[in-house]
Amino acid sequence: MTEQEGFAEAVLVFEADLMGVASEMRLCEFDAVTEGAATLERFAASVARAAYVVVGTALSVRGVVFFSFKVDEEGHVDRSFNVPLQYLMEHAGPGPDLGTGPIRLACRGQCPVPWHSMNLWEPQKEGEADSLQIVQRAIWRNRLGLKPRGKANRLLEDNFVLEDPLASQRKLETRLTETFGEEGRVNLEALIRQHNEQIEKISARYRTDLERQQQTYLDQIRNSRDEIQKLKSALRHEQERSRRLQSLLRGEPS
């Protein structure tokens, strides 16, 4: 489902409250943003939530991937962004019917590649806040001037058959096994467990370093106090010696 196949592709960035679309761009423009050739100052220092949209004939939404990305203080998209939007779309599960048959949908709760689900978000589904309806209305306004090529679209849409999500998952697992072997198979639970273990190791190392640093500071404070006491004692001794010398000079008994 690409522009070469007759569909149009767009990326819509939502408002922070998810009640509307704040920015619209073609996929090639978003690619330029992720490559650092352009910035998104409006979303600086935030985590933006967006939708990658495939558009068919009559500006009908045929597929959506709800994803998020980080934007730094200067408006640059995090360079670690690597969500395979087109791949997720091609393997997405079934979504609701927006008027021209079921669409393809990938979101946090329905992600064809489990370890990418953490980079997706769950659309709202009620009333004016319905994320898919917001997407469809934005596409109908067509501020981007999208022009899906009708002939190719019609052929593809007539043959638009959603693959069973379980079959798609099994196919993906088979491909991973063929590529990496049984030991290379990865699942979301394993990734989360590894992530948590790494966090625990880092936290433990941080606590150890912090305790060591605190002990060093306490030792320094204790040594400083001892030195101060020695200086005070020496000062008192010198004051007493000075008082005695002054008394002898004045001919007074010490």
Side-chain angles (χ1 to χ4, degrees):
M1 296 176 68
T2 65
E3 291 185 5
Q4 289 72 27
E5 294 170 330
F7 290 87
E9 298 168 288
V11 172
L12 310 181
V13 186
F14 278 71
E15 299 281 3
D17 60 5
L18 302 180
M19 294 299 293
V21 173
S23 179
E24 304 176 28
M25 63 194 89
R26 294 175 180 268
L27 181 61
C28 59
E29 295 172 321
F30 181 70
D31 288 340
V33 171
T34 59
E35 292 169 1
T39 59
L40 296 172
E41 289 85 356
R42 179 173 182 178
F43 306 98
S46 70
V47 176
R49 284 182 282 188
Y52 163 56
V53 189
V54 169
V55 184
T57 55
L59 295 175
S60 60
V61 171
R62 303 304 299 134
V64 181
V65 177
F66 288 103
F67 69 101
S68 60
F69 56 90
K70 296 179 182 178
V71 184
D72 67 17
E73 291 79 0
E74 297 179 350
H76 293 99
V77 173
D78 190 335
R79 292 189 177 276
S80 66
F81 176 81
N82 65 344
V83 180
L85 298 173
Q86 292 177 317
Y87 182 89
L88 294 179
M89 180 68 72
E90 291 171 1
H91 297 83
D97 186 342
L98 299 182
T100 56
I103 68 168
R104 288 182 177 176
L105 175 64
C107 56
R108 174 159 291 193
Q110 180 175 293
C111 181
V113 184
W115 52 91
H116 279 301
S117 64
M118 64 186 67
N119 297 313
L120 306 187
W121 58 281
E122 197 66 23
Q124 301 187 75
K125 301 177 181 179
E126 297 182 359
E128 292 298 314
D130 188 316
S131 303
L132 284 169
Q133 292 297 334
I134 291 174
V135 168
Q136 181 63 86
R137 288 196 295 269
I139 294 300
W140 277 335
R141 286 194 297 268
N142 200 22
R143 291 172 179 165
L144 295 175
L146 301 176
K147 296 178 181 179
R149 293 192 293 276
K151 185 175 181 180
N153 284 341
R154 190 67 268 161
L155 177 61
L156 285 174
E157 292 185 49
D158 287 343
N159 294 281
F160 185 79
V161 179
L162 288 166
E163 185 176 9
D164 174 43
L166 292 177
S168 177
Q169 180 66 27
R170 287 193 295 270
K171 183 185 296 184
L172 176 61
E173 291 178 353
T174 299
R175 291 177 62 185
L176 287 171
T177 302
E178 291 174 350
T179 303
F180 301 106
E182 285 293 332
E183 296 181 356
R185 296 184 64 177
V186 183
N187 58 64
L188 183 57
E189 291 183 359
L191 286 176
I192 292 174
R193 185 166 57 253
Q194 291 174 9
H195 180 66
N196 290 338
E197 289 174 354
Q198 290 177 348
I199 291 177
E200 182 59 32
K201 289 179 181 178
I202 293 172
S203 298
R205 186 164 62 248
Y206 173 77
R207 287 193 297 269
T208 300
D209 291 343
L210 181 60
E211 290 172 358
R212 185 182 299 114
Q213 191 66 40
Q214 288 176 333
Q215 187 60 49
T216 300
Y217 288 149
L218 289 173
D219 291 342
Q220 290 176 347
I221 291 171
R222 189 178 299 109
N223 292 336
S224 297
R225 286 176 177 172
D226 292 343
E227 188 65 27
I228 289 172
Q229 290 300 322
K230 290 178 181 178
L231 291 173
K232 284 182 177 180
S233 177
L235 178 61
R236 284 194 299 270
H237 177 75
E238 288 299 321
Q239 288 174 335
E240 180 64 22
R241 182 170 176 272
S242 176
R243 185 186 66 78
R244 290 177 179 176
L245 288 173
Q246 289 176 1
S247 296
L248 288 173
L249 290 173
R250 290 194 297 268
E252 299 175 354
S254 58

